[in-house]
Amino acid sequence: MSPDATVPAGLAGVAHEPGVAKPDPILVVDGLRRAFGGVRAVDVDHLEIPRGLITGLIGPNGAGKTTLFNLLTGFDRPDEGEWTFDGRSAAGVPAYRVARDGMVRTFQLTKALSRMTVLENLMLGASQQRGEHILRALLPWGWRTQEAEVRDRAEGLLARFKLDHMRDQFAGTLSGGQRKLLEMARALMVEPSLVMLDEPMAGVNPALTQSLLGHVKDLRDVEGRSVVFVEHDMDVVFDISDWVVCLAEGRVIAEGPPASIGANPAVIDAYLGATHDHSALREERRRRQAARGDA
Amino acid sequence: MIETLFFDALRSAIGPTAASYALLAVGLNLHFGYTGLLNFGQVGYMLVGAYGLSITVAVFGGPLWLGLIVGMLAAVVLSIILGAPTLRLRADYLAITTIAASEILRFLVRNTGSDDLTGSVFGLRQFAGEFYDWSPFAPGEYLGPLGFNANRMWVTLVGWGLVAALSAMVWTLMRSPWGRVLRSIREDEDAARSLGKNVFLYKMQSLIIGGVIGAIGGMVFVLALQNVTPDMFLPQVTFFAFAIMILGGTSTVLGPTAGAVLFWFLLTGLQSGIRGVVDAGVIPGITGGQVVGAVSLIAVGLLLMLLMVFRPQGILGDREELRLDVS
Ligand SMILES: Nc1ncnc2c1ncn2[C@@H]1O[C@H](COP(=O)(O)OP(=O)(O)OP(=O)(O)O)[C@@H](O)[C@H]1O
Ligand SMILES: [Mg+2]
């Protein structure tokens, strides 16, 4: 397939094919494999994630999206493979260092810190806190000023994510959708250069989804961060992605701007099986849109 | 009768043994209540503290301060040995390792092969002299009906002073960003990792600090008794410390203190009461001290069960927090 006009400037001229090289990738993956028993969960030959853009990662259930996140962020170890983040090799780096280096992920199954308040959840996220050192922790005047700054930043994010009224509640009392919001806000406290969101909209109500989408776009447009997000709702994917990567059975089977993905036969095959044609995917989209209209 | 019972109970509740157990529970609370580490061998830390002190002073003739430092360093070393292989694994590995290690330590000091160093089953004495030389109390009787002598006053004062100081330290730490990281690890260590926290390092620090506090408890315990024997360090000591922590309120700063006072008040009060009943021959067929000990432990167990039914969060705990624990 040939490049088209709807892609952002950074990706102009990039071919729409799996494993294609990008002009300025923030993350480059090579020969990454992870098997669970006989299941090849991830089997990626080459993948580049563009800097400063939003990349949608799609694929049917069990395609290996979460496993890929786990590997790249140091939460799981690959059988083999190399990858660089921001030009530096990131393979074998422990998860906490990956986060400190600027690649921060959220979890598909949210991990709210239940018996801590919503505000504390956020404040935890801030990096390089002086008071997190055991000896300095004993001398509050050494970290109070920074703590106040962290609190201000946390409250700002809470307001942005409409969680400020829950500020002093235990995070364990939040609803599923609120936990998604909390986790995304908390990840932003780290000030990452690359945010990896695993199904950030799952369980979030449609009205809120719109504002969440706005936040994700802001990450790119206002704060200049790179975003990778996993999402099953194709409307969302097509709405905000600059680039879409489709995984199936661990492999990258298609890449391209959103417009090219919906019509890609490999993607349709992966989602619906080889017997269906394009109209089935379009029909599915129409059905979902109708359902959303009702809600 | 009721009066003796009450004073027996009170004497024990404010005495040095209760203070030692409070210290064990303060350490355990840092491990379990704040970090979520399952340490089932707190008595092992108590043991290395007690023997570190008494061997240094009684066997090698070292000064008291050196004994105190050796006791605390022993706890640091024990933490590293236990924590390095297990803190990266699931919580239950630490639990198994700590309970095994505490029993191994007890057998080691009990072994006749260690006779020269630990006095095996007979233990060690004559290591507390310098400690009591520091006592500001003139010989005599103190605290009226409780009848504390000067030495007991001194070790009680030091014991509870340490409880206060170390509780204050834990309070400061837990209100700091360091404490926030610890609590986040208790809640979900992967979440903490995803935010750039070096979980292993914090767990190790928690294990070390809580262990050293346990060792200090062990030192107070044997200084009060002025002797140390291996069978002071049975696994049940750890479980008493857990009971004290839960009774007072897990993850609260003053819980261990409240728990220790109440636990020893109940245990001694019941012992005294049951002994009175047995001695009076009211219950036919039951005589002897063995029975008193066993029955009073059963009674304390029942009281703890009742507390868990009616106040599962402990005396000072937060019910809301406990409810979230399950969800
Ligand atoms: N810890 C594990 N042990 C065994 N198999 C696993 C494990 N984690 C993932 N798998 C398998 O790897 C494959 C990929 O799983 P993964 O969770 O990455 O899929 P996914 O693309 O995130 O799916 P979904 O859209 O449903 O979240 C699946 O077949 C899954 O069963
Ligand atoms: Mg997944």
Side-chain angles (χ1 to χ4, degrees):
Chain A
M1 270 177 266
S2 62
D4 69 12
T6 62
V7 296
L11 292 173
V14 173
H16 306 167
E17 56 193 35
V20 65
K22 320 264 180 333
D24 181 21
I26 187 166
L27 186 65
V28 179
V29 183
D30 267 303
L32 187 64
R33 290 177 231 294
R34 175 73 164 109
F36 295 105
V39 182
R40 286 206 145 190
V42 168
D43 186 1
V44 173
D45 291 328
H46 189 82
L47 177 64
E48 298 189 3
I49 302 296
R51 185 191 306 273
L53 298 176
I54 299 176
T55 304
L57 182 61
I58 63 169
N61 292 119
K65 304 178 295 293
T66 300
T67 308
L68 180 62
F69 269 32
N70 289 343
L71 293 173
L72 295 177
T73 52
F75 280 85
D76 191 8
R77 297 262 167 267
D79 302 325
E80 53 178 322
E82 271 299 319
W83 64 98
T84 60
F85 172 62
D86 236 348
R88 276 170 299 170
S89 173
V93 177
Y96 78 91
R97 281 207 173 276
V98 173
R100 281 187 198 173
D101 290 345
M103 182 180 355
V104 174
R105 59 91 55 93
T106 64
F107 296 89
Q108 181 171 4
L109 299 170
T110 46
K111 297 187 182 295
L113 305 165
S114 301
R115 286 175 292 171
M116 294 170 70
T117 66
V118 168
L119 183 65
E120 282 178 317
N121 264 264
L122 259 78
M123 290 176 72
L124 176 73
S127 333
Q128 302 198 324
Q129 299 191 48
R130 278 191 281 279
E132 285 183 356
H133 186 282
I134 172 79
L135 295 177
R136 275 173 292 197
L138 285 167
L139 310 167
W141 47 91
W143 47 262
R144 276 216 186 104
T145 326
Q146 192 192 29
E147 182 82 343
E149 289 162 15
V150 169
R151 182 184 303 265
D152 285 346
R153 211 150 60 77
E155 289 187 339
L157 272 170
L158 283 181
R160 234 173 90 191
F161 282 82
K162 307 257 183 308
L163 284 171
D164 37 349
H165 61 292
M166 304 293 286
R167 186 178 176 278
D168 298 316
Q169 304 277 323
F170 281 129
T173 64
L174 297 185
S175 73
Q178 287 172 324
R179 286 175 199 221
K180 284 278 172 197
L181 296 173
L182 174 73
E183 199 168 295
M184 191 164 153
R186 193 173 66 191
L188 296 183
M189 283 297 290
V190 189
E191 309 213 283
S193 48
L194 174 61
V195 197
M196 315 264 282
L197 305 169
D198 200 345
E199 304 200 16
M201 326 285 175
V204 177
N205 81 57
L208 209 50
T209 301
Q210 283 313 312
S211 84
L212 253 184
L213 292 181
H215 293 322
V216 175
K217 284 182 189 159
D218 282 352
L219 294 181
R220 172 193 62 191
D221 301 337
V222 181
E223 301 172 27
R225 306 186 201 282
S226 316
V227 180
V228 179
F229 77 109
V230 173
E231 183 53 59
H232 285 293
D233 185 331
M234 290 307 149
D235 298 318
V236 169
V237 174
F238 293 151
D239 179 5
I240 65 166
S241 313
D242 298 304
W243 193 259
V244 179
V245 174
C246 181
L247 276 186
E249 293 172 2
R251 311 184 68 89
V252 178
I253 58 159
E255 269 194 66
S260 78
I261 285 292
N264 186 313
V267 176
I268 294 164
D269 283 359
Y271 268 89
L272 303 168
T275 56
H276 294 266
D277 64 3
H278 305 183
S279 61
L281 189 63
R282 244 173 275 127
E283 186 52 41
E284 165 69 8
R285 278 179 69 186
R286 212 169 290 128
R287 200 184 53 72
R288 277 170 183 255
Q289 253 155 3
R292 185 173 298 178
D294 295 341
Chain B
M1 158 79 191
I2 290 292
E3 203 168 307
T4 8
L5 190 153
F6 177 77
F7 286 126
D8 279 352
L10 192 61
R11 189 177 299 120
S12 161
I14 67 164
T17 302
S20 315
Y21 273 80
L23 288 168
L24 293 184
V26 169
L28 206 54
N29 194 30
L30 192 66
H31 290 160
F32 179 75
Y34 291 118
T35 325
L37 298 176
L38 266 181
N39 168 13
F40 280 153
Q42 184 69 336
V43 69
Y45 285 104
M46 186 191 184
L47 184 152
V48 296
Y51 273 94
L53 166 70
S54 45
I55 291 173
T56 308
V57 178
V59 180
F60 294 105
L64 178 68
W65 64 263
L66 186 64
L68 299 174
I69 288 177
V70 169
M72 291 195 272
L73 279 183
V76 175
V77 172
L78 182 62
S79 296
I80 293 171
I81 294 173
L82 295 179
T86 58
L87 288 180
R88 290 180 207 277
L89 307 175
R90 261 189 358 237
D92 25 0
Y93 288 89
L94 180 69
I96 297 164
T97 311
T98 45
I99 191 166
S102 69
E103 276 293 83
I104 290 169
L105 283 168
R106 187 169 69 86
F107 284 119
L108 278 181
V109 296
R110 208 173 188 283
N111 193 301
T112 40
S114 347
D115 216 9
D116 296 340
L117 213 53
T118 65
S120 67
V121 283
F122 306 105
L124 297 168
R125 320 178 147 267
Q126 319 229 294
F127 51 81
E130 193 186 341
F131 173 76
Y132 288 106
D133 288 345
W134 286 92
S135 169
F137 292 95
E141 288 264 306
Y142 293 85
L143 299 183
L146 297 184
F148 277 33
N149 66 24
N151 278 355
R152 194 173 163 88
M153 280 304 283
W154 175 227
V155 69
T156 299
L157 184 73
V158 170
W160 287 113
L162 285 166
V163 172
L166 293 169
S167 297
M169 184 187 84
V170 169
W171 183 75
T172 312
L173 283 175
M174 292 320 298
R175 286 168 74 254
S176 76
W178 184 84
R180 187 161 59 214
V181 176
L182 236 55
R183 284 182 294 131
S184 78
I185 292 170
R186 172 191 73 188
E187 295 303 307
D188 192 318
E189 60 179 77
D190 277 342
R193 268 191 201 102
S194 78
L195 299 169
K197 313 302 173 195
N198 184 351
V199 169
F200 177 78
L201 181 74
Y202 284 94
K203 282 183 173 180
M204 186 59 94
Q205 290 175 349
S206 165
L207 192 64
I208 289 174
I209 297 171
V212 168
I213 297 175
I216 294 173
M219 296 193 251
V220 172
F221 189 81
V222 295
L223 282 173
L225 296 172
Q226 304 193 40
N227 76 81
V228 56
T229 59
D231 292 336
M232 292 171 179
F233 306 99
L234 294 168
Q236 71 194 47
V237 174
T238 301
F239 298 105
F240 284 179
F242 261 100
I244 284 168
M245 175 185 74
I246 294 165
L247 185 63
T250 309
S251 334
T252 61
V253 170
L254 292 178
T257 304
V261 170
L262 188 62
F263 180 86
W264 283 101
F265 187 89
L266 290 176
L267 185 63
T268 313
L270 284 164
Q271 269 170 358
S272 178
I274 293 166
R275 188 178 303 114
V277 173
V278 169
D279 288 351
V282 183
I283 314 162
I286 291 184
T287 49
Q290 286 282 331
V291 181
V292 173
V295 173
S296 45
L297 275 179
I298 293 171
V300 167
L302 284 173
L303 279 174
L304 281 174
M305 280 165 66
L306 284 178
L307 179 94
M308 288 301 101
V309 170
F310 293 107
R311 206 174 161 79
Q313 72 274 38
I315 306 170
L316 302 173
D318 178 346
R319 181 124 207 182
E320 173 76 352
E321 213 175 294
L322 190 85
R323 199 179 57 74
L324 290 172
D325 200 11
V326 227
S327 67

